[in-house]
């Protein structure tokens, strides 16, 4: 927000850059803040095209998750700020380490925004969610930006306001403006006049004075004009992009990427989690049962339970669970031992002929010898929908409400989850925020180990991958064990 003195530095703009002028300054980013009014006019590889979009999508997805988790504005800002520094950091003009570095950061930010425009312009629902998340990201960056850079950025745009400088005009409205200051519990001698449609939120809250179709806005409320303008311009730009998108249908390189991105946003999570960590230690077959009870997310707990009960899993269940265990740290020899022991009702000959090859194949030792990654939450949610008799999939999405509640209590009651927690979890499930429900379960079941509501799996981040859930759970247990050992040494 602006300080009282900042409004004096704003100058109403009488013109904006023309298309040709915008083109001539392509690649130049004087500010961290951006209204994204011109498309990227530079060459880019397909890899960068996708990578920039995925990095931005991680942030937007967590913003949407923050709303679903009812975080306060300060909590949302903190989480968003951490993710921005991790995936989409932008140096200020004062702190930038070299002009080229800051320009490259802003170029990636610019590119990622426009790629996601292409992915999310396809339906009204996607556009609505994208606009809300992007506007929130802009607000966070706006509040954290350097005040002088922020003023220069706003002065470079045209918001259609007029600074109220006339003594006669101020005098004729003296009583009304004083009354406005009382309502706001603040005082200001600086106002701008703008058409009331530019500040509908302030009009609804009665925080402006209206006369003749114009709203008189104090310096403390200037940001509302800017945020509303960002939102309305983005909405119009997305509608225009949607009309142009059919021209790209024949581009076989980009359409699959855009489909994947939009699909990832629909389930409320990043479309890719490419660095699923292992536990760091060798995992042996006999350890799996105990690890499942303490560290596995519900999807893997359910698969393990089905495997233990039926001594069998169907193809997609074996694939989902087998790749999860592989990334967790189960070696190929231990994996064969684990699955052979689990399929105890089969003969050695049948197991070797029908199942051993597939296990070796998933480890890249047979067939085309590809090193298959474990399935992410996005893949589990959107592909290979389970049918009757299947155990794979996401319980938060594919279980009935009754079965989900029963399963949660069965698997996690010993870790602190009880019936009082189910209402919040089921509410997020009903709203389609499955990853938020899973994240909340993680927080509850690790509450005894110091994880608080809002912490997520660390730094406020939501669960986006089953291995991410398990690895963080194992890490927390190790930290607790090391702290206990250290305290024992001190006592001795």
């Amino acid at each position: 927000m602006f300080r009282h003195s900042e409004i004096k530095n704003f100058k109403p703009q009488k013109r904006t850059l023309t298309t040709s002028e915008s083109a001539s300054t392509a690649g130049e980013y004087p500010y961290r803040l951006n209204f994204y009014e011109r498309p990227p006019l530079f060459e880019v590889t397909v890899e960068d095209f996708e990578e920039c979009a995925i990095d931005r999508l991680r942030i937007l997805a967590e913003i949407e998750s923050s709303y679903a988790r009812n975080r306060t504005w300060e909590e949302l800002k903190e989480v968003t700020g951490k993710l921005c520094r991790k995936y989409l950091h932008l140096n200020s003009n004062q702190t930038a380490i070299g002009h080229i570095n800051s320009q490259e950061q802003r170029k990636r930010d610019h590119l990622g925004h426009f790629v996601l425009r292409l992915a999310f312009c396809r339906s009204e629902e996607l556009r609505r969610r994208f606009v809300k998340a992007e506007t929130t990201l802009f607000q966070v960056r706006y509040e954290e930006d350097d005040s002088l850079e922020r003023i220069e950025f706003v002065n470079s745009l045209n918001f259609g306001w007029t600074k109220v400088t006339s003594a006669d005009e101020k005098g004729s409205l003296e009583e009304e403006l004083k009354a406005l200051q009382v309502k706001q519990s603040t005082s200001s001698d600086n106002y701008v006049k703008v058409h009331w449609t530019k500040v509908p939120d302030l009009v609804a809250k009665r925080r402006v004075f209206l006369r003749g179709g114009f709203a008189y806005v104090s310096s403390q409320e200037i940001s509302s004009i800017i945020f509303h303008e960002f939102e309305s311009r983005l909405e119009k730009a997305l509608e225009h992009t949607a009309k142009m998108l059919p021209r790209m249908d024949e581009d076989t390189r980009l359409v699959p990427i855009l489909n994947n991105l939009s699909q990832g946003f629909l389930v409320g999570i990043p479309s890719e989690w490419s660095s699923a960590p292992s536990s760091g230690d060798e995992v042996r077959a006999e350890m799996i049962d105990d690890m499942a009870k303490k560290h596995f997310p519900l999807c893997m707990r359910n698969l393990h339970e089905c495997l233990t009960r039926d001594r069998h899993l169907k193809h997609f269940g074996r694939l989902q669970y087998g790749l999860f265990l592989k990334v967790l740290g189960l070696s190929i020899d231990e994996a064969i031992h684990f699955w052979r022991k689990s399929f105890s009702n089969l003969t050695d000959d049948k197991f070797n002929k029908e199942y051993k090859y597939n296990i070796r194949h998933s480890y890249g030792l047979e067939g085309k010898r590809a090193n298959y990654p474990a399935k992410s939450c996005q893949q589990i949610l959107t592909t290979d929908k389970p049918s009757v008799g299947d155990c794979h999939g996401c319980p938060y999405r594919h279980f009935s409400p009754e079965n989900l509640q029963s399963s949660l209590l069965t698997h996690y009651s010993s870790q602190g989850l009880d019936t009082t927690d189910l209402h919040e979890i089921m509410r997020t499930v009903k709203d389609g925020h499955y990853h938020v429900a899973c994240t909340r379960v993680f927080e509850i079941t690790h509450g005894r180990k110091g994880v608080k509501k809002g912490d997520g799996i660390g730094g406020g981040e939501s669960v986006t991958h089953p291995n991410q859930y398990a690895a963080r759970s194992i890490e927390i247990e190790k930290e607790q064990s090391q702290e206990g050992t250290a305290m024992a040494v001190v006592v001795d």
Side-chain angles (χ1 to χ4, degrees):
M1 303 291 287
F2 288 108
R3 294 189 293 271
H4 295 279
S5 60
E6 288 186 356
I7 189 67
K8 298 177 182 179
N9 296 317
F10 283 100
K11 303 172 185 177
Q13 302 296 305
K14 297 182 180 179
R15 58 183 290 277
T16 56
L17 289 176
T18 64
T19 304
S20 61
E21 288 173 322
S22 295
S24 67
T25 58
E28 297 179 6
Y29 302 93
Y31 316 107
R32 283 186 292 182
L33 295 173
N34 196 338
F35 260 45
Y36 308 103
E37 295 191 296
R38 57 179 177 80
L41 300 176
F42 49 83
E43 292 185 358
V44 61
T45 65
V46 174
E47 290 76 16
D48 284 342
F49 181 91
E50 183 175 19
E51 182 183 335
C52 291
I54 288 175
D55 285 345
R56 192 180 194 88
L57 182 56
R58 296 180 194 277
I59 299 169
L60 299 186
E62 194 59 44
I63 287 174
E64 186 173 74
S65 171
S66 294
Y67 283 117
R69 296 166 70 176
N70 295 317
R71 283 176 172 150
T72 66
W73 176 247
E74 290 303 317
E75 290 172 338
L76 185 151
K77 280 176 58 179
E78 182 180 358
V79 171
T80 304
K82 287 180 180 179
L83 288 177
C84 284
R85 288 188 289 274
K86 183 176 181 180
Y87 295 114
L88 209 62
H89 185 62
L90 300 177
N91 289 322
S92 68
N93 291 340
Q94 284 74 26
T95 61
I97 306 174
H99 179 72
I100 295 178
N101 181 48
S102 64
Q103 290 297 297
E104 183 62 28
Q105 290 175 342
R106 297 171 191 184
K107 178 185 287 189
R108 292 178 63 83
D109 173 74
H110 190 203
L111 174 62
H113 171 86
F114 272 89
V115 174
L116 294 187
R117 272 197 196 183
L118 294 174
F120 303 145
C121 70
R122 303 169 176 222
S123 70
E124 184 177 349
E125 171 67 8
L126 280 174
R127 290 195 293 269
R128 180 188 64 79
R129 293 171 72 173
F130 180 66
V131 168
K132 182 177 181 180
E134 276 285 346
T135 303
T136 301
L137 175 59
F138 179 83
Q139 291 174 351
V140 170
R141 287 176 165 177
Y142 179 90
E143 292 191 8
E144 293 182 349
D145 199 20
D146 177 80
S147 60
L148 293 178
E149 287 185 37
R150 184 170 57 198
I151 291 172
E152 292 176 1
F153 166 74
V154 173
N155 282 335
S156 70
L157 300 171
N158 178 18
F159 294 105
W161 65 41
T162 303
K163 188 176 178 181
V164 180
T165 56
S166 169
D168 292 338
E169 187 174 13
K170 279 189 176 182
S172 64
L173 301 174
E174 182 177 2
E175 294 300 321
E176 290 84 353
L177 296 181
K178 281 185 178 180
L180 182 63
Q181 293 175 14
V182 171
K183 288 183 179 181
Q184 296 176 346
S185 300
T186 58
S187 60
S188 173
D189 296 328
N190 302 299
Y191 295 87
V192 295
K193 183 169 66 174
V194 65
H195 197 271
W196 72 271
T197 56
K198 297 284 188 179
V199 284
D201 56 329
L202 295 182
V203 173
K205 296 175 184 177
R206 302 192 177 197
R207 297 174 69 173
V208 294
F209 171 66
L210 296 176
R211 171 170 288 185
F214 287 91
Y216 288 79
V217 185
S218 70
S219 59
Q220 289 78 24
E221 307 292 351
I222 287 294
S223 59
S224 292
I225 302 176
I226 299 168
F227 299 156
H228 178 72
E229 192 70 18
F230 179 91
E231 182 177 358
S232 61
R233 292 187 190 186
L234 182 54
E235 287 174 348
K236 293 176 182 177
L238 284 171
E239 292 172 1
H240 178 73
T241 303
K243 295 177 181 178
M244 300 294 106
L245 193 64
R247 299 181 183 180
M248 294 186 60
D249 286 345
E250 297 180 0
D251 194 323
T252 57
R253 300 169 305 162
L254 303 185
V255 170
I257 295 175
L258 298 178
N259 288 338
N260 186 49
L261 291 169
S262 62
Q263 195 175 51
F265 196 77
L266 276 171
V267 297
I269 56 176
S271 63
E272 181 181 350
W273 196 72
S274 59
S275 56
S278 69
S279 63
D281 297 324
E282 181 186 0
V283 177
R284 298 186 303 277
E286 59 268 22
M287 298 167 57
I288 299 300
D289 189 63
D290 184 58
M291 293 179 72
K293 294 174 182 177
K294 295 193 296 183
H295 303 302
F296 287 8
L298 187 57
C299 55
M300 300 305 164
R301 288 286 294 265
N302 178 61
L303 283 165
H304 185 78
E305 180 187 48
C306 291
L307 178 60
T308 303
R309 181 191 65 214
D310 302 332
R311 296 296 174 184
H312 189 264
L313 282 177
K314 291 187 176 181
H315 171 71
F316 288 118
R318 296 196 305 272
L319 184 64
Q320 181 175 322
Y321 194 37
L323 291 175
F324 167 81
L325 293 177
K326 168 191 168 184
V327 173
L328 190 68
L330 194 68
S331 68
I332 179 60
D333 293 334
E334 290 293 328
I336 292 174
H337 176 55
F338 170 77
W339 287 104
R340 179 67 192 96
K341 182 181 178 182
S342 298
F343 288 3
S344 58
N345 56 342
L346 300 180
T347 64
D348 287 341
D349 185 59
K350 185 176 179 64
F351 177 81
N352 290 334
K353 286 182 178 179
E354 298 184 16
Y355 299 101
K356 188 174 181 179
Y357 176 87
N358 287 335
I359 297 170
R360 289 177 55 81
H361 188 277
S362 67
Y363 277 74
L365 301 176
E366 301 289 354
K368 64 178 182 180
R369 301 183 181 274
N371 185 22
Y372 296 98
K375 289 184 176 292
S376 67
C377 292
Q378 187 261 344
Q379 291 170 315
I380 294 171
L381 282 162
T382 59
T383 61
D384 304 323
K385 183 178 178 180
S387 57
V388 178
D390 286 328
C391 297
H392 68 279
C394 173
Y396 298 101
R397 181 172 190 177
H398 299 127
F399 279 17
S400 68
E402 295 77 16
N403 287 344
L404 176 58
Q405 293 182 70
S406 175
S407 184
L408 285 168
L409 291 174
T410 299
H411 291 303
Y412 296 117
S413 58
S414 62
Q415 293 177 268
L417 187 145
D418 57 39
T419 54
T420 59
D421 300 310
L422 292 180
H423 175 72
E424 179 185 5
I425 295 169
M426 297 308 296
R427 176 183 59 80
T428 56
V429 169
K430 183 179 179 180
D431 293 339
H433 300 293
Y434 311 111
H435 65 302
V436 175
C438 187
T439 303
R440 184 66 189 119
V441 169
F442 181 92
E443 293 171 343
I444 294 169
T445 55
H446 292 77
R448 298 171 182 173
K449 299 178 180 179
V451 177
K452 302 185 294 295
K453 184 175 182 179
D455 286 349
I457 57 165
E461 288 191 56
S462 299
V463 174
T464 63
H465 199 291
N467 285 93
Q468 181 190 31
Y469 184 113
R472 179 56 183 153
S473 179
I474 294 169
E475 182 182 351
I476 290 173
E477 184 179 64
K478 285 183 178 180
E479 291 172 355
Q480 291 263 307
S481 177
Q482 291 170 357
E483 289 176 5
T485 302
M487 289 184 65
V489 171
V490 171
V491 172
D492 291 343

